[in-house]
Amino acid sequence: VQLQASGGGLVQSGGSLRLSCLTSRETVDHRLVAWFRQAPGKELEAVSCVRYSDGVTRPADSVKGRFTVSRNRAENTVYLHMNNLKSEDTAVYYCATHMAPDRTCNRSGMDNWGKGTQVTVSS
């Protein structure tokens, strides 16, 4: 499995969750790893990207101050730490990669996608 997202679930508004994107070194080394989400009836939205080589992140404005991305290189896992969750964060969350680590954080050209994990925030 190249990418596998997990960790979703049901959480109350204001709560926290940590999503994991399990991958392999070959899949993410020297690449950009991205988290996306898609809410019902809405388009796919970039949440945050991380340059895997040095951990520099680029969060979307909608999640700045609430969501952070980290990676554990020894375990080949990228995490999305979500705090102060809101009902509008309800979505299916995906991780993906792009071969260009410095590119813009959007869906264009993402070449590896994992299956999504559902996050539901109750108000």
Side-chain angles (χ1 to χ4, degrees):
V1 177
Q2 290 184 310
L3 294 166
Q4 185 172 0
S6 63
L10 175 64
V11 62
Q12 288 189 330
S13 180
S16 299
L17 274 178
R18 186 186 74 170
L19 304 185
S20 302
C21 179
L22 179 63
T23 181
S24 65
R25 180 178 178 182
E26 293 75 22
T27 301
V28 294
D29 216 9
H30 305 297
R31 284 174 165 253
L32 185 76
V33 182
W35 284 98
F36 292 88
R37 66 184 179 185
Q38 187 163 29
K42 295 190 177 181
E43 293 187 355
L44 194 69
E45 175 191 16
V47 175
S48 189
C49 290
V50 59
R51 188 166 59 201
Y52 194 79
S53 60
D54 59 9
V56 173
T57 62
R58 278 174 276 153
D61 288 343
S62 59
V63 303
K64 276 182 182 176
R66 299 190 300 124
F67 292 11
T68 58
V69 174
S70 66
R71 83 259 193 266
N72 183 323
R73 299 190 72 175
E75 296 182 354
N76 297 314
T77 303
V78 177
Y79 298 102
L80 179 65
H81 306 267
M82 306 186 294
N83 298 312
N84 190 22
L85 283 161
K86 306 175 182 180
S87 57
E88 53 262 42
D89 296 319
T90 295
V92 178
Y93 285 72
Y94 303 87
C95 55
T97 66
H98 194 287
M99 62 182 298
D102 294 316
R103 72 175 314 282
T104 302
C105 188
N106 59 40
R107 68 177 299 177
S108 178
M110 292 288 168
D111 54 7
N112 286 307
W113 289 86
K115 290 185 178 179
T117 185
Q118 175 72 46
V119 172
T120 302
V121 184
S122 63
S123 56

